[in-house]
Amino acid sequence: MNLLENIRLALEGLRANKMRALLTMLGIIIGIASVMAISTLGSAMTGSVSKTMDKIGGKNISVSLTPKNYDSQATLQPEDYITQDELNSFKETYADQIRAISLSSSLGSGKLNSGYVHKDVSVTGANPDYRLVNNINLVQGRFISDRDIQSSRNVIIIDTTLRNNLVGVNGDPTGMDITVKTKNTNETYTIIGVYEKVVIDNPLFNMGDDTRIECFIPITTAMSLNSASTSIPGYDNFTIMASANADTTAFAQITKQYFIKNMGALSDYTIEAQSMEAMVSEATSMLSTLSLGISVIAGISLLVGGIGVMNIMLVSVTERTKEIGIRKALGARNSAIRSQFIIEAIIICLIGGIIGVGLGSVLGVLGSSLLKFPSTPPVGPMIIALCFSMGIGVFFGYYPANKAAKLNPIDALRYE
Amino acid sequence: MRKKIIEMRGIVKSYYLGTPNELEILHGIDLDVYEGEFLSIVGPSGSGKSTLMNILGALDRPTQGHFFLDQLPMENVKDEGLSKIRNEKIGFVFQTFNLIPRSSALNNVALPMLYGGKSRSVRTKRAKELLELVDMTARSHHRPNELSGGQKQRVAIARAMANDPAIILADEPTGALDTHTGRMVMDIFHRLHQEQGKTIILITHNTELALETERTIRLKDGSIVENKINEKIQLEGSYESA
Ligand SMILES: Nc1ncnc2c1ncn2[C@@H]1O[C@H](COP(=O)(O)OP(=O)(O)OP(=O)(O)O)[C@@H](O)[C@H]1O
Ligand SMILES: [Mg+2]
């Protein structure tokens, strides 16, 4: 008794009862569709997370001074700050783990005036490592150098939007002087480079106001301009880029322990070091909680669907008792009858699975485009879903099929 | 000496209706049937004709006694073996036709060959030939509910012939048909008997039809009460000229 004939027989049987077959499939359809939708959404999210990680640096660890107690009116004391010397010796101690340390100090927002161009910008003081750690994509000129830092030069790196405003898309603004007013003082800077802004379109990583134009100046220049920070001997935050083979989560812990030693016991502040990976896993754990919830619903739905299939197969066996008797009289072996009914159950489930996969993929793509994740339904879960639905057919079809196979031929033939 | 195709010795069939009151339907049947014989079984309703035929057709097992089908002792055959015997050696024709309702006439005829493991092309070719034999070619793609009783029974006979069985067992094949269509069905049996040398066992209530066969067995209350060779009667039926 070959497979193809069994499939043909099963399809014949289903065609005779289309509505009933469809209703039976409903549980399977809902179950498979929700699994498929969540895995489409999930793969879209993880895909965009890993893309974002590439952009913002998956090896980064951000370190900052944070109040021990958020309720208290704690203020940073001069001795709390991490000094350049401390950073240097830290970097030496863990030279094999650290690739770069990025330092920054915001000068806040400012106004740019240059001829006819008036723009709101934000000015950030940065060190040379800032470029590597924050993945600054320089398209013209150069970034801040050690010498710029040493002599607190008035140099500035602008972004492509500003360049387009100043000298046009094809122009070269390097060497040009611009005046930026921050903290109520006008400063003139020489443009030394142009960078292209990286657009991160991932709702899991809200990077704040994306329309702001950010310009970079040497951190030393920024600190001396920042009147409030004249007396500040160091940094309250920095970002480490760990070397490629480092375990960032473990190294974040090491970093925290290293700097916490140097903190005065009486300080209101402590050190927090968090790896980007840990932050990402925090974000994705939300997703896995969600998918767990949906998986439970899907599981229940598949169970109910499977029981529905079993029920309808039992009805079908009873309805076709006489037919089974005839087939046995014509020489059908028990195994032939059994496989006929199992294959029928498998086909019900498989068709349900195919509809479910289609429906779930559409829902998943719609859902993820609603959340602004680019997505395509993943092939792996599709195949697993189809195999799983066939498995349900085998599991829930076996009992009715076996019941049919074991019917006594005479009793079956006599059945009215 | 012709080959004995059926040999029954002391066949008893009992049903257990609850434990104590055992119901014995057949009380020790002895029966020999030879290859190529056309045998009829008659007897009043409830005398055990169908019960006997179910045993002859390997659908049922006797409670006691020995049954050799084509020299093979049936008590040693397992269920799967009985399926194979039904498929290869037996062709059933029932009073109520028992065609598969969702399948076309052609697929109904091909079904025993499917269970016999024949390839699709062989099945289709043979099924077409058989439908030709019973003059049903024009209706080969019709489903049973689109056929008349006589047409259904012709399809059923074609199906019984599918695997070229040693024995055709027909349980009141004309019982649901009018005289004319019944005649047509009987003509087909005569043709299969004479032209193909088939062994045919026919259960009937119609004594005239029984007289057309070579030998008649009469059952009463589960025992054989008569075993009579019929004189050859000349039929004015159309089967000889067909
Ligand atoms: N499964 C069963 N359980 C109990 N008794 C049964 C069973 N099957 C058949 N019988 C009994 O066996 C007896 C013989 O039945 P059978 O069908 O062989 O008669 P028959 O000679 O074919 O009659 P008819 O001419 O009406 O078809 C009947 O009395 C019937 O009630
Ligand atoms: Mg009967």
Side-chain angles (χ1 to χ4, degrees), chain B residues 107-125:
Chain B
N107 282 336
N108 262 290
V109 176
L111 196 58
M113 294 183 269
L114 176 67
Y115 290 126
K118 302 266 185 355
S119 78
R120 192 182 180 87
S121 57
V122 169
R123 296 198 304 261
T124 312
K125 183 164 174 285

Side-chain angles (χ1 to χ4, degrees), chain A residues 28 85 131 137 212 227 342 392:
Chain A
I28 308 284
D85 287 346
R131 180 185 170 191
N137 180 21
R212 217 170 40 167
S227 56
I342 288 184
I392 291 172

Side-chain angles (χ1 to χ4, degrees), chain A residues 80-140:
Chain A
D80 291 336
Y81 286 95
I82 294 161
T83 64
Q84 187 64 49
D85 287 346
E86 281 172 345
L87 267 181
N88 288 345
S89 63
F90 171 67
K91 201 171 173 179
E92 248 168 61
T93 316
Y94 296 104
D96 56 330
Q97 303 258 51
I98 300 167
R99 199 163 151 212
I101 294 179
S102 150
L103 297 165
S104 66
S105 165
S106 176
L107 255 189
S109 57
K111 276 216 183 313
L112 174 139
N113 291 297
S114 173
Y116 301 112
V117 182
H118 305 281
K119 281 271 169 196
D120 288 327
V121 295
S122 80
V123 181
T124 304
N127 70 338
D129 272 358
Y130 188 94
R131 180 185 170 191
L132 178 66
V133 175
N134 294 284
N135 208 5
I136 302 289
N137 180 21
L138 217 59
V139 292
Q140 279 171 321

